[in-house]
Amino acid sequence: QAAPVAAASAAPAPVEMTRAQAETRATEAFAQLDANRDGKLDAADREAGLRARFDAADTNSNGELSFAEVTAAQAARAETRAERSGGRGDRAGRMGFLGHPGMRGHGGRMMDRADSNADAAVSQAEFTAAALARFDRADADDNGTISGDEMREGRGDGRGRGGRWSR
């Protein structure tokens, strides 16, 4: 069951993450993104993810998205994000079509940086190494835990610019 959404006036809950938790989250994220389960993230996974989101939004299965279907899909994703975040703030406007960050370029640049052998695919090892490198950059005091303050500082202006994570 999802956590209740906190009132808008409530202060964000303090957030901390250990390096082990970051590694676990990277493993879980990779598994979710590897749509065809071939052990790598590539164009086929991006297309499969987009097709799945399109199909879920196309509620009348006519192969076209109406304005109402797109609006409903966006509202559903916003609600899911709010439930997941426990009311820590809305991320509306950060995501591209149907909530896919890679289509706006930011996710694509992150994947390019993670592709250490430049084979146009990101392996589980590359994905995890990139996630842990971002964690290490954000862990300003090198104590193996990112505090809420380090997380906010690491994100810079909140749009992936200017923080330690973007380097």
Side-chain angles (χ1 to χ4, degrees):
Q1 182 172 348
V5 176
S9 61
V15 177
E16 288 192 353
M17 181 185 301
T18 66
R19 197 168 198 278
Q21 288 171 318
E23 186 170 5
T24 298
R25 286 182 60 159
T27 300
E28 292 167 354
F30 185 90
Q32 184 177 7
L33 293 170
D34 187 13
N36 59 11
R37 306 292 180 244
D38 64 355
K40 63 183 179 186
L41 303 179
D42 57 15
D45 294 301
R46 287 187 295 277
E47 182 176 340
L50 282 173
R51 286 188 186 280
R53 281 185 288 282
F54 180 92
D55 291 344
D58 184 17
T59 56
N60 62 5
S61 301
N62 70 349
E64 298 177 358
L65 292 180
S66 68
F67 180 78
E69 287 171 323
V70 170
T71 302
Q74 289 173 334
R77 288 195 55 86
E79 183 176 330
T80 299
R81 282 191 308 272
E83 289 171 358
R84 243 190 341 238
S85 73
R88 289 190 306 266
D90 185 18
R91 291 177 50 182
R94 287 190 188 174
M95 298 298 199
F97 176 70
L98 295 182
H100 192 273
M103 296 298 101
R104 287 187 54 233
H106 180 68
R109 286 191 309 271
M110 285 175 42
M111 296 303 267
D112 287 345
R113 285 194 297 264
D115 184 12
S116 60
N117 63 0
D119 66 350
V122 176
S123 69
Q124 171 76 60
E126 288 173 316
F127 189 86
T128 301
L132 293 177
R134 285 190 307 276
F135 178 93
D136 292 341
R137 284 192 304 273
D139 186 13
D141 58 8
D142 294 319
N143 69 350
T145 299
I146 299 176
S147 68
D149 288 339
E150 286 172 319
M151 224 175 256
R152 282 185 291 282
E153 172 63 26
R155 288 188 183 128
D157 69 2
R159 292 184 294 270
R161 290 181 234 137
R164 286 188 300 273
W165 290 11
S166 62
R167 294 187 188 101

